[in-house]
Amino acid sequence: EVQLVESGGGLVQAGGSLRLSCVASRFTFDDYAIAWFRQAPGKEREGVSCIATSEGSKYYAEWTKGRFTISSDNAKNTVYLQMNSLKHEDTAVYYCAAGWGFPEPDGMDYWGKGTLVTVSS
């Protein structure tokens, strides 16, 4: 069974940084794009960033505005999301997903369980 496991969430002050990790297992890493989504309380899940590891292509939601950086370590089947200059409104559960439908959540095939990021103002 395909597995995606996120880690790295936590509590951080506004202006701080966090790096999220997503470890993928039981599928060929290069066969899927790997994306980060987030869902804040009372809001819909939204796409944050995506990387097509086989191509090295990267995509970002406009609102990330250079604050977030996605990267991958193919040898470790791991995708990272470096988040800098965090704002209170970045508070959400961040999910890792595999598939080709970014930025549409319904277009992704596999999901992790999420990691909570809380940014205190």
Side-chain angles (χ1 to χ4, degrees), residues 63-98:
W63 53 263
T64 61
K65 295 181 180 177
R67 297 187 297 125
F68 293 4
T69 303
I70 195 168
S71 62
S72 68
D73 184 335
N74 286 18
K76 296 182 178 180
N77 262 23
T78 301
V79 170
Y80 304 98
L81 184 69
Q82 178 67 43
M83 305 187 296
N84 299 327
S85 302
L86 284 163
K87 306 174 182 179
H88 178 66
E89 51 264 42
D90 293 319
T91 295
V93 178
Y94 284 72
Y95 296 92
C96 177

Side-chain angles (χ1 to χ4, degrees), residues 23-46:
V23 179
S25 61
R26 300 177 184 171
F27 67 84
T28 303
F29 203 50
D30 283 354
D31 286 347
Y32 293 89
I34 305 296
W36 288 96
F37 288 76
R38 72 180 188 181
Q39 188 164 19
K43 295 189 177 181
E44 295 185 350
R45 193 169 297 189
E46 64 176 347

